[in-house]
Amino acid sequence: MTKTIYLETPQNFSFRETVNSHGWSVLLPFELDKENLRLSYVFENESSAEISEEDGKLKIEIVGENENLLRDVRHILRFDEDLSKFYKILKSEKRLKWIAAQSAGRLLRSPTVFEDLVKTICTTNCSWSLTKIMVKNLVEKLGNGGRAFPTPEQMASVPEEFYRTQIRAGYRSGYFAELAEKVASGKLNPEAWLTSNLPTNELKKEMKKVKGFGDYAAENLLKLVGRYDGLALDSYLRSEFYKKHNAGTLCDDKQIRAFYEKFGAWQGLAIWCDMSGNF
DNA sequence: GCGTCCAGGTCTACC
DNA sequence: GGTAGACCTGGACGC
């Protein structure tokens, strides 16, 4: 079954900026047609959505049955994210005015926190090309039809060795096996992090209980659940900071933190937009 | 072709 | 609490 739906977008929403907000749009089961700005995603039951813009609305071309599909599309594109306070803070920063002007700042995310959790582990201590390989293997060798991202149950159904030999996850293999077992058995519910009442530092501690999840990974996932207190410093952000704000020379993380401290609860989003924008 | 280094870090042992 | 060393893999680079 194929059908097309048109969605009104919220105020200050940019499909282009959201799709290009970070690398998630090229990690399966997302696929991005950059030339035509069309983003597609294959859901757990192999239904899919191809999203583009038409006449100021979002055009959603749906293949298959999925009663939660539109809810998930809104979630992926962060329709509910209110960035007005963030934009207000940026008014005093001439260098960052482009963010509000272009309605940037919405970070693309997966339909589930579990998927973002696994993908974040795939970004640690490796090149981006290896991240793409690991995610591709997860989808093609464990997901439904070799097209969808695997469920916790599907990931829990294979031994650690599978991650080592088939997914090419190396030392992360044990992390995946343990995480999948905990989520599939109900010992851990990452989806609850979306609505957690815990202060951010407490929620970060919860996230760091996941093996393989350190400061960078936890702060990155916090951004994807809507909390931007942490910078999620990684080698990419550091190198960009050195180039843009420190004349190309290295400095310690304290200096980077001091630079963005003024953005308070929004500092993680401020550094990401600052470093990823071509301004 | 081969060795080395590093990339969108984290864990453990040790102090 | 801070730090050194180990850890998988793929790709770039130098020789």
Side-chain angles (χ1 to χ4, degrees):
Chain A
M1 190 204 80
T2 303
K3 64 178 175 182
T4 300
I5 290 175
Y6 290 87
L7 274 186
E8 296 280 354
T9 59
Q11 271 196 324
N12 299 321
F13 176 85
S14 165
F15 180 58
R16 178 178 296 278
E17 290 293 337
T18 306
V19 166
N20 293 321
S21 56
H22 62 137
W24 256 218
S25 58
V26 296
L27 292 181
L28 290 175
F30 281 110
E31 284 188 281
L32 177 63
D33 174 354
K34 280 189 179 177
E35 196 173 327
N36 298 302
L37 195 61
R38 296 167 74 90
L39 178 72
S40 61
Y41 184 86
V42 179
F43 293 89
E44 182 187 327
N45 69 348
E46 294 186 67
S47 62
S48 65
E50 190 162 308
I51 312 166
S52 57
E53 282 184 303
E54 194 172 294
D55 299 330
K57 293 181 181 176
L58 279 189
K59 181 182 180 185
I60 322 286
E61 295 169 86
I62 301 167
V63 178
E65 292 283 354
N66 182 346
E67 61 182 26
N68 295 321
L69 188 141
L70 290 181
R71 182 202 66 186
D72 287 344
V73 167
R74 290 188 178 95
H75 178 86
I76 286 167
L77 296 174
R78 314 293 289 262
F79 268 31
D80 59 344
E81 198 76 0
D82 179 7
L83 297 179
S84 54
K85 288 181 183 170
F86 177 51
Y87 293 160
K88 198 174 175 182
I89 289 173
L90 299 177
K91 275 187 178 174
S92 59
E93 296 283 326
K94 190 178 176 185
R95 181 174 47 84
L96 300 177
K97 279 188 175 175
W98 68 271
I99 298 171
Q102 296 191 20
S103 299
R106 283 183 169 82
L107 302 178
L108 188 73
R109 63 184 172 189
S110 307
T112 66
V113 179
F114 175 73
E115 182 177 330
D116 282 338
L117 210 170
V118 173
K119 283 178 171 174
T120 297
I121 292 176
C122 290
T123 68
T124 57
N125 195 28
C126 65
S127 59
W128 182 243
S129 60
L130 181 56
T131 297
K132 288 196 281 189
I133 288 169
M134 287 188 277
V135 173
K136 182 172 184 282
N137 286 336
L138 284 169
V139 168
E140 294 183 348
K141 299 185 178 184
L142 281 176
N144 281 333
R147 300 174 64 223
F149 196 82
T151 63
E153 292 74 18
Q154 286 169 325
M155 285 187 65
S157 71
V158 294
E160 177 179 334
E161 192 59 18
F162 183 89
Y163 291 102
R164 199 171 290 277
T165 58
Q166 300 298 309
I167 307 299
R168 311 300 295 164
Y171 69 88
R172 302 168 197 79
S173 301
Y175 303 160
F176 288 142
E178 183 179 318
L179 171 64
E181 188 280 325
K182 279 186 177 174
V183 178
S185 67
K187 292 176 197 156
L188 177 68
N189 179 18
E191 309 313 312
W193 295 341
L194 279 170
T195 53
S196 171
N197 291 321
L198 288 174
T200 302
N201 60 337
E202 294 298 319
L203 185 54
K204 183 178 170 182
K205 283 181 190 171
E206 286 299 307
M207 291 177 172
K208 287 181 71 175
K209 288 178 183 173
V210 174
K211 276 280 181 65
F213 239 62
D215 281 327
Y216 150 75
E219 291 180 2
N220 184 61
L221 190 62
L222 281 167
K223 290 181 186 181
L224 298 179
V225 299
R227 304 199 193 204
Y228 307 102
D229 320 34
L231 297 184
L233 288 177
D234 56 16
S235 56
Y236 167 74
L237 279 184
R238 289 188 182 95
S239 67
E240 289 300 307
F241 182 87
Y242 304 149
K243 280 188 269 184
K244 290 195 176 184
H245 296 303
N246 209 41
T249 57
L250 306 186
C251 63
D252 62 25
D253 290 352
K254 283 181 186 172
Q255 188 175 327
I256 303 177
R257 292 186 204 290
F259 191 91
Y260 291 98
E261 197 176 15
K262 61 187 169 187
F263 297 105
W266 297 97
Q267 55 191 290
L269 197 50
I271 188 175
W272 180 258
C273 293
D274 192 15
M275 295 302 100
S276 59
N278 297 314
F279 299 88

mmCIF file with all atom_site columns, all heavy atoms in Angstrom, chain A residues 239-258:
data_model
loop_
_atom_site.group_PDB
_atom_site.id
_atom_site.type_symbol
_atom_site.label_atom_id
_atom_site.label_alt_id
_atom_site.label_comp_id
_atom_site.label_asym_id
_atom_site.label_entity_id
_atom_site.label_seq_id
_atom_site.pdbx_PDB_ins_code
_atom_site.Cartn_x
_atom_site.Cartn_y
_atom_site.Cartn_z
_atom_site.occupancy
_atom_site.B_iso_or_equiv
_atom_site.pdbx_formal_charge
_atom_site.auth_seq_id
_atom_site.auth_comp_id
_atom_site.auth_asym_id
_atom_site.auth_atom_id
_atom_site.pdbx_PDB_model_num
ATOM 1   N N   . SER A 1 239 ? 38.805 19.533 17.222 1.00 0.00 ? 239 SER A N   1
ATOM 2   C CA  . SER A 1 239 ? 39.621 20.030 16.100 1.00 0.00 ? 239 SER A CA  1
ATOM 3   C C   . SER A 1 239 ? 38.971 21.248 15.457 1.00 0.00 ? 239 SER A C   1
ATOM 4   O O   . SER A 1 239 ? 39.658 22.189 15.043 1.00 0.00 ? 239 SER A O   1
ATOM 5   C CB  . SER A 1 239 ? 39.859 18.925 15.069 1.00 0.00 ? 239 SER A CB  1
ATOM 6   O OG  . SER A 1 239 ? 38.649 18.575 14.431 1.00 0.00 ? 239 SER A OG  1
ATOM 7   N N   . GLU A 1 240 ? 37.640 21.261 15.373 1.00 0.00 ? 240 GLU A N   1
ATOM 8   C CA  . GLU A 1 240 ? 36.954 22.423 14.802 1.00 0.00 ? 240 GLU A CA  1
ATOM 9   C C   . GLU A 1 240 ? 37.115 23.647 15.702 1.00 0.00 ? 240 GLU A C   1
ATOM 10  O O   . GLU A 1 240 ? 37.273 24.767 15.218 1.00 0.00 ? 240 GLU A O   1
ATOM 11  C CB  . GLU A 1 240 ? 35.461 22.107 14.596 1.00 0.00 ? 240 GLU A CB  1
ATOM 12  C CG  . GLU A 1 240 ? 35.189 21.124 13.486 1.00 0.00 ? 240 GLU A CG  1
ATOM 13  C CD  . GLU A 1 240 ? 35.688 21.610 12.129 1.00 0.00 ? 240 GLU A CD  1
ATOM 14  O OE1 . GLU A 1 240 ? 35.333 22.735 11.718 1.00 0.00 ? 240 GLU A OE1 1
ATOM 15  O OE2 . GLU A 1 240 ? 36.460 20.875 11.488 1.00 0.00 ? 240 GLU A OE2 1
ATOM 16  N N   . PHE A 1 241 ? 37.067 23.406 17.015 1.00 0.00 ? 241 PHE A N   1
ATOM 17  C CA  . PHE A 1 241 ? 37.235 24.522 17.947 1.00 0.00 ? 241 PHE A CA  1
ATOM 18  C C   . PHE A 1 241 ? 38.636 25.124 17.804 1.00 0.00 ? 241 PHE A C   1
ATOM 19  O O   . PHE A 1 241 ? 38.790 26.344 17.774 1.00 0.00 ? 241 PHE A O   1
ATOM 20  C CB  . PHE A 1 241 ? 37.007 24.069 19.387 1.00 0.00 ? 241 PHE A CB  1
ATOM 21  C CG  . PHE A 1 241 ? 37.118 25.193 20.390 1.00 0.00 ? 241 PHE A CG  1
ATOM 22  C CD1 . PHE A 1 241 ? 36.013 25.980 20.705 1.00 0.00 ? 241 PHE A CD1 1
ATOM 23  C CD2 . PHE A 1 241 ? 38.333 25.475 21.002 1.00 0.00 ? 241 PHE A CD2 1
ATOM 24  C CE1 . PHE A 1 241 ? 36.120 27.029 21.611 1.00 0.00 ? 241 PHE A CE1 1
ATOM 25  C CE2 . PHE A 1 241 ? 38.448 26.527 21.907 1.00 0.00 ? 241 PHE A CE2 1
ATOM 26  C CZ  . PHE A 1 241 ? 37.341 27.294 22.213 1.00 0.00 ? 241 PHE A CZ  1
ATOM 27  N N   . TYR A 1 242 ? 39.634 24.259 17.720 1.00 0.00 ? 242 TYR A N   1
ATOM 28  C CA  . TYR A 1 242 ? 41.001 24.763 17.581 1.00 0.00 ? 242 TYR A CA  1
ATOM 29  C C   . TYR A 1 242 ? 41.112 25.654 16.339 1.00 0.00 ? 242 TYR A C   1
ATOM 30  O O   . TYR A 1 242 ? 41.727 26.706 16.367 1.00 0.00 ? 242 TYR A O   1
ATOM 31  C CB  . TYR A 1 242 ? 42.010 23.608 17.460 1.00 0.00 ? 242 TYR A CB  1
ATOM 32  C CG  . TYR A 1 242 ? 41.990 22.609 18.591 1.00 0.00 ? 242 TYR A CG  1
ATOM 33  C CD1 . TYR A 1 242 ? 42.309 21.262 18.369 1.00 0.00 ? 242 TYR A CD1 1
ATOM 34  C CD2 . TYR A 1 242 ? 41.638 22.997 19.883 1.00 0.00 ? 242 TYR A CD2 1
ATOM 35  C CE1 . TYR A 1 242 ? 42.285 20.344 19.400 1.00 0.00 ? 242 TYR A CE1 1
ATOM 36  C CE2 . TYR A 1 242 ? 41.608 22.069 20.919 1.00 0.00 ? 242 TYR A CE2 1
ATOM 37  C CZ  . TYR A 1 242 ? 41.925 20.740 20.670 1.00 0.00 ? 242 TYR A CZ  1
ATOM 38  O OH  . TYR A 1 242 ? 41.889 19.833 21.693 1.00 0.00 ? 242 TYR A OH  1
ATOM 39  N N   . LYS A 1 243 ? 40.470 25.208 15.260 1.00 0.00 ? 243 LYS A N   1
ATOM 40  C CA  . LYS A 1 243 ? 40.564 25.960 14.002 1.00 0.00 ? 243 LYS A CA  1
ATOM 41  C C   . LYS A 1 243 ? 39.817 27.284 14.076 1.00 0.00 ? 243 LYS A C   1
ATOM 42  O O   . LYS A 1 243 ? 40.313 28.317 13.657 1.00 0.00 ? 243 LYS A O   1
ATOM 43  C CB  . LYS A 1 243 ? 39.977 25.117 12.852 1.00 0.00 ? 243 LYS A CB  1
ATOM 44  C CG  . LYS A 1 243 ? 40.917 24.053 12.316 1.00 0.00 ? 243 LYS A CG  1
ATOM 45  C CD  . LYS A 1 243 ? 40.363 23.397 11.063 1.00 0.00 ? 243 LYS A CD  1
ATOM 46  C CE  . LYS A 1 243 ? 39.545 22.184 11.410 1.00 0.00 ? 243 LYS A CE  1
ATOM 47  N NZ  . LYS A 1 243 ? 39.037 21.428 10.267 1.00 0.00 ? 243 LYS A NZ  1
ATOM 48  N N   . LYS A 1 244 ? 38.606 27.235 14.669 1.00 0.00 ? 244 LYS A N   1
ATOM 49  C CA  . LYS A 1 244 ? 37.748 28.419 14.612 1.00 0.00 ? 244 LYS A CA  1
ATOM 50  C C   . LYS A 1 244 ? 38.012 29.427 15.720 1.00 0.00 ? 244 LYS A C   1
ATOM 51  O O   . LYS A 1 244 ? 37.791 30.621 15.545 1.00 0.00 ? 244 LYS A O   1
ATOM 52  C CB  . LYS A 1 244 ? 36.267 27.999 14.657 1.00 0.00 ? 244 LYS A CB  1
ATOM 53  C CG  . LYS A 1 244 ? 35.807 27.298 13.393 1.00 0.00 ? 244 LYS A CG  1
ATOM 54  C CD  . LYS A 1 244 ? 34.292 27.227 13.313 1.00 0.00 ? 244 LYS A CD  1
ATOM 55  C CE  . LYS A 1 244 ? 33.857 26.609 11.996 1.00 0.00 ? 244 LYS A CE  1
ATOM 56  N NZ  . LYS A 1 244 ? 32.405 26.581 11.804 1.00 0.00 ? 244 LYS A NZ  1
ATOM 57  N N   . HIS A 1 245 ? 38.445 28.927 16.865 1.00 0.00 ? 245 HIS A N   1
ATOM 58  C CA  . HIS A 1 245 ? 38.540 29.849 18.005 1.00 0.00 ? 245 HIS A CA  1
ATOM 59  C C   . HIS A 1 245 ? 39.886 29.863 18.690 1.00 0.00 ? 245 HIS A C   1
ATOM 60  O O   . HIS A 1 245 ? 40.051 30.556 19.696 1.00 0.00 ? 245 HIS A O   1
ATOM 61  C CB  . HIS A 1 245 ? 37.467 29.497 19.042 1.00 0.00 ? 245 HIS A CB  1
ATOM 62  C CG  . HIS A 1 245 ? 36.075 29.687 18.541 1.00 0.00 ? 245 HIS A CG  1
ATOM 63  N ND1 . HIS A 1 245 ? 35.597 30.882 18.046 1.00 0.00 ? 245 HIS A ND1 1
ATOM 64  C CD2 . HIS A 1 245 ? 35.042 28.814 18.426 1.00 0.00 ? 245 HIS A CD2 1
ATOM 65  C CE1 . HIS A 1 245 ? 34.337 30.741 17.664 1.00 0.00 ? 245 HIS A CE1 1
ATOM 66  N NE2 . HIS A 1 245 ? 33.977 29.493 17.868 1.00 0.00 ? 245 HIS A NE2 1
ATOM 67  N N   . ASN A 1 246 ? 40.859 29.090 18.201 1.00 0.00 ? 246 ASN A N   1
ATOM 68  C CA  . ASN A 1 246 ? 42.139 29.064 18.908 1.00 0.00 ? 246 ASN A CA  1
ATOM 69  C C   . ASN A 1 246 ? 43.320 29.087 17.941 1.00 0.00 ? 246 ASN A C   1
ATOM 70  O O   . ASN A 1 246 ? 44.368 28.519 18.248 1.00 0.00 ? 246 ASN A O   1
ATOM 71  C CB  . ASN A 1 246 ? 42.216 27.826 19.820 1.00 0.00 ? 246 ASN A CB  1
ATOM 72  C CG  . ASN A 1 246 ? 43.095 28.066 21.032 1.00 0.00 ? 246 ASN A CG  1
ATOM 73  O OD1 . ASN A 1 246 ? 43.052 29.132 21.642 1.00 0.00 ? 246 ASN A OD1 1
ATOM 74  N ND2 . ASN A 1 246 ? 43.912 27.084 21.379 1.00 0.00 ? 246 ASN A ND2 1
ATOM 75  N N   . ALA A 1 247 ? 43.116 29.727 16.798 1.00 0.00 ? 247 ALA A N   1
ATOM 76  C CA  . ALA A 1 247 ? 44.190 29.914 15.812 1.00 0.00 ? 247 ALA A CA  1
ATOM 77  C C   . ALA A 1 247 ? 44.869 28.606 15.416 1.00 0.00 ? 247 ALA A C   1
ATOM 78  O O   . ALA A 1 247 ? 46.058 28.582 15.118 1.00 0.00 ? 247 ALA A O   1
ATOM 79  C CB  . ALA A 1 247 ? 45.230 30.895 16.365 1.00 0.00 ? 247 ALA A CB  1
ATOM 80  N N   . GLY A 1 248 ? 44.088 27.520 15.443 1.00 0.00 ? 248 GLY A N   1
ATOM 81  C CA  . GLY A 1 248 ? 44.630 26.242 14.982 1.00 0.00 ? 248 GLY A CA  1
ATOM 82  C C   . GLY A 1 248 ? 45.525 25.529 15.961 1.00 0.00 ? 248 GLY A C   1
ATOM 83  O O   . GLY A 1 248 ? 46.098 24.482 15.642 1.00 0.00 ? 248 GLY A O   1
ATOM 84  N N   . THR A 1 249 ? 45.639 26.059 17.159 1.00 0.00 ? 249 THR A N   1
ATOM 85  C CA  . THR A 1 249 ? 46.501 25.391 18.144 1.00 0.00 ? 249 THR A CA  1
ATOM 86  C C   . THR A 1 249 ? 45.671 24.666 19.200 1.00 0.00 ? 249 THR A C   1
ATOM 87  O O   . THR A 1 249 ? 44.554 25.085 19.525 1.00 0.00 ? 249 THR A O   1
ATOM 88  C CB  . THR A 1 249 ? 47.426 26.400 18.851 1.00 0.00 ? 249 THR A CB  1
ATOM 89  O OG1 . THR A 1 249 ? 46.618 27.415 19.467 1.00 0.00 ? 249 THR A OG1 1
ATOM 90  C CG2 . THR A 1 249 ? 48.385 27.039 17.877 1.00 0.00 ? 249 THR A CG2 1
ATOM 91  N N   . LEU A 1 250 ? 46.220 23.603 19.735 1.00 0.00 ? 250 LEU A N   1
ATOM 92  C CA  . LEU A 1 250 ? 45.509 22.785 20.722 1.00 0.00 ? 250 LEU A CA  1
ATOM 93  C C   . LEU A 1 250 ? 45.305 23.549 22.031 1.00 0.00 ? 250 LEU A C   1
ATOM 94  O O   . LEU A 1 250 ? 46.084 24.444 22.368 1.00 0.00 ? 250 LEU A O   1
ATOM 95  C CB  . LEU A 1 250 ? 46.293 21.499 21.014 1.00 0.00 ? 250 LEU A CB  1
ATOM 96  C CG  . LEU A 1 250 ? 46.680 20.616 19.829 1.00 0.00 ? 250 LEU A CG  1
ATOM 97  C CD1 . LEU A 1 250 ? 47.314 19.320 20.327 1.00 0.00 ? 250 LEU A CD1 1
ATOM 98  C CD2 . LEU A 1 250 ? 45.474 20.297 18.959 1.00 0.00 ? 250 LEU A CD2 1
ATOM 99  N N   . CYS A 1 251 ? 44.257 23.180 22.727 1.00 0.00 ? 251 CYS A N   1
ATOM 100 C CA  . CYS A 1 251 ? 44.034 23.720 24.069 1.00 0.00 ? 251 CYS A CA  1
ATOM 101 C C   . CYS A 1 251 ? 43.307 22.633 24.860 1.00 0.00 ? 251 CYS A C   1
ATOM 102 O O   . CYS A 1 251 ? 42.832 21.657 24.279 1.00 0.00 ? 251 CYS A O   1
ATOM 103 C CB  . CYS A 1 251 ? 43.212 25.008 24.036 1.00 0.00 ? 251 CYS A CB  1
ATOM 104 S SG  . CYS A 1 251 ? 41.548 24.806 23.393 1.00 0.00 ? 251 CYS A SG  1
ATOM 105 N N   . ASP A 1 252 ? 43.234 22.787 26.165 1.00 0.00 ? 252 ASP A N   1
ATOM 106 C CA  . ASP A 1 252 ? 42.551 21.742 26.927 1.00 0.00 ? 252 ASP A CA  1
ATOM 107 C C   . ASP A 1 252 ? 41.033 21.980 26.939 1.00 0.00 ? 252 ASP A C   1
ATOM 108 O O   . ASP A 1 252 ? 40.545 23.058 26.581 1.00 0.00 ? 252 ASP A O   1
ATOM 109 C CB  . ASP A 1 252 ? 43.128 21.576 28.338 1.00 0.00 ? 252 ASP A CB  1
ATOM 110 C CG  . ASP A 1 252 ? 42.977 22.830 29.181 1.00 0.00 ? 252 ASP A CG  1
ATOM 111 O OD1 . ASP A 1 252 ? 42.064 23.621 28.894 1.00 0.00 ? 252 ASP A OD1 1
ATOM 112 O OD2 . ASP A 1 252 ? 43.766 23.006 30.118 1.00 0.00 ? 252 ASP A OD2 1
ATOM 113 N N   . ASP A 1 253 ? 40.325 20.947 27.365 1.00 0.00 ? 253 ASP A N   1
ATOM 114 C CA  . ASP A 1 253 ? 38.865 21.001 27.330 1.00 0.00 ? 253 ASP A CA  1
ATOM 115 C C   . ASP A 1 253 ? 38.299 22.112 28.222 1.00 0.00 ? 253 ASP A C   1
ATOM 116 O O   . ASP A 1 253 ? 37.216 22.635 27.953 1.00 0.00 ? 253 ASP A O   1
ATOM 117 C CB  . ASP A 1 253 ? 38.277 19.653 27.758 1.00 0.00 ? 253 ASP A CB  1
ATOM 118 C CG  . ASP A 1 253 ? 38.523 18.568 26.718 1.00 0.00 ? 253 ASP A CG  1
ATOM 119 O OD1 . ASP A 1 253 ? 39.013 18.904 25.623 1.00 0.00 ? 253 ASP A OD1 1
ATOM 120 O OD2 . ASP A 1 253 ? 38.227 17.393 27.001 1.00 0.00 ? 253 ASP A OD2 1
ATOM 121 N N   . LYS A 1 254 ? 39.030 22.443 29.276 1.00 0.00 ? 254 LYS A N   1
ATOM 122 C CA  . LYS A 1 254 ? 38.546 23.501 30.181 1.00 0.00 ? 254 LYS A CA  1
ATOM 123 C C   . LYS A 1 254 ? 38.336 24.808 29.430 1.00 0.00 ? 254 LYS A C   1
ATOM 124 O O   . LYS A 1 254 ? 37.376 25.529 29.670 1.00 0.00 ? 254 LYS A O   1
ATOM 125 C CB  . LYS A 1 254 ? 39.555 23.716 31.321 1.00 0.00 ? 254 LYS A CB  1
ATOM 126 C CG  . LYS A 1 254 ? 39.511 22.657 32.403 1.00 0.00 ? 254 LYS A CG  1
ATOM 127 C CD  . LYS A 1 254 ? 40.515 22.976 33.498 1.00 0.00 ? 254 LYS A CD  1
ATOM 128 C CE  . LYS A 1 254 ? 40.586 21.844 34.511 1.00 0.00 ? 254 LYS A CE  1
ATOM 129 N NZ  . LYS A 1 254 ? 41.679 22.028 35.480 1.00 0.00 ? 254 LYS A NZ  1
ATOM 130 N N   . GLN A 1 255 ? 39.245 25.089 28.518 1.00 0.00 ? 255 GLN A N   1
ATOM 131 C CA  . GLN A 1 255 ? 39.138 26.330 27.731 1.00 0.00 ? 255 GLN A CA  1
ATOM 132 C C   . GLN A 1 255 ? 37.904 26.284 26.819 1.00 0.00 ? 255 GLN A C   1
ATOM 133 O O   . GLN A 1 255 ? 37.213 27.289 26.652 1.00 0.00 ? 255 GLN A O   1
ATOM 134 C CB  . GLN A 1 255 ? 40.412 26.519 26.906 1.00 0.00 ? 255 GLN A CB  1
ATOM 135 C CG  . GLN A 1 255 ? 40.485 27.866 26.220 1.00 0.00 ? 255 GLN A CG  1
ATOM 136 C CD  . GLN A 1 255 ? 41.823 28.063 25.509 1.00 0.00 ? 255 GLN A CD  1
ATOM 137 O OE1 . GLN A 1 255 ? 42.861 27.561 25.967 1.00 0.00 ? 255 GLN A OE1 1
ATOM 138 N NE2 . GLN A 1 255 ? 41.806 28.786 24.402 1.00 0.00 ? 255 GLN A NE2 1
ATOM 139 N N   . ILE A 1 256 ? 37.632 25.128 26.263 1.00 0.00 ? 256 ILE A N   1
ATOM 140 C CA  . ILE A 1 256 ? 36.462 24.986 25.382 1.00 0.00 ? 256 ILE A CA  1
ATOM 141 C C   . ILE A 1 256 ? 35.187 25.150 26.220 1.00 0.00 ? 256 ILE A C   1
ATOM 142 O O   . ILE A 1 256 ? 34.254 25.848 25.821 1.00 0.00 ? 256 ILE A O   1
ATOM 143 C CB  . ILE A 1 256 ? 36.468 23.621 24.665 1.00 0.00 ? 256 ILE A CB  1
ATOM 144 C CG1 . ILE A 1 256 ? 37.771 23.445 23.868 1.00 0.00 ? 256 ILE A CG1 1
ATOM 145 C CG2 . ILE A 1 256 ? 35.254 23.484 23.760 1.00 0.00 ? 256 ILE A CG2 1
ATOM 146 C CD1 . ILE A 1 256 ? 37.909 22.096 23.175 1.00 0.00 ? 256 ILE A CD1 1
ATOM 147 N N   . ARG A 1 257 ? 35.174 24.504 27.378 1.00 0.00 ? 257 ARG A N   1
ATOM 148 C CA  . ARG A 1 257 ? 33.991 24.605 28.252 1.00 0.00 ? 257 ARG A CA  1
ATOM 149 C C   . ARG A 1 257 ? 33.757 26.047 28.678 1.00 0.00 ? 257 ARG A C   1
ATOM 150 O O   . ARG A 1 257 ? 32.615 26.523 28.713 1.00 0.00 ? 257 ARG A O   1
ATOM 151 C CB  . ARG A 1 257 ? 34.171 23.712 29.479 1.00 0.00 ? 257 ARG A CB  1
ATOM 152 C CG  . ARG A 1 257 ? 34.168 22.241 29.159 1.00 0.00 ? 257 ARG A CG  1
ATOM 153 C CD  . ARG A 1 257 ? 34.199 21.384 30.425 1.00 0.00 ? 257 ARG A CD  1
ATOM 154 N NE  . ARG A 1 257 ? 34.753 20.068 30.169 1.00 0.00 ? 257 ARG A NE  1
ATOM 155 C CZ  . ARG A 1 257 ? 34.157 19.112 29.463 1.00 0.00 ? 257 ARG A CZ  1
ATOM 156 N NH1 . ARG A 1 257 ? 32.972 19.344 28.953 1.00 0.00 ? 257 ARG A NH1 1
ATOM 157 N NH2 . ARG A 1 257 ? 34.734 17.948 29.260 1.00 0.00 ? 257 ARG A NH2 1
ATOM 158 N N   . ALA A 1 258 ? 34.839 26.745 29.005 1.00 0.00 ? 258 ALA A N   1
ATOM 159 C CA  . ALA A 1 258 ? 34.708 28.140 29.448 1.00 0.00 ? 258 ALA A CA  1
ATOM 160 C C   . ALA A 1 258 ? 34.127 29.004 28.324 1.00 0.00 ? 258 ALA A C   1
ATOM 161 O O   . ALA A 1 258 ? 33.329 29.921 28.572 1.00 0.00 ? 258 ALA A O   1
ATOM 162 C CB  . ALA A 1 258 ? 36.064 28.674 29.889 1.00 0.00 ? 258 ALA A CB  1
#
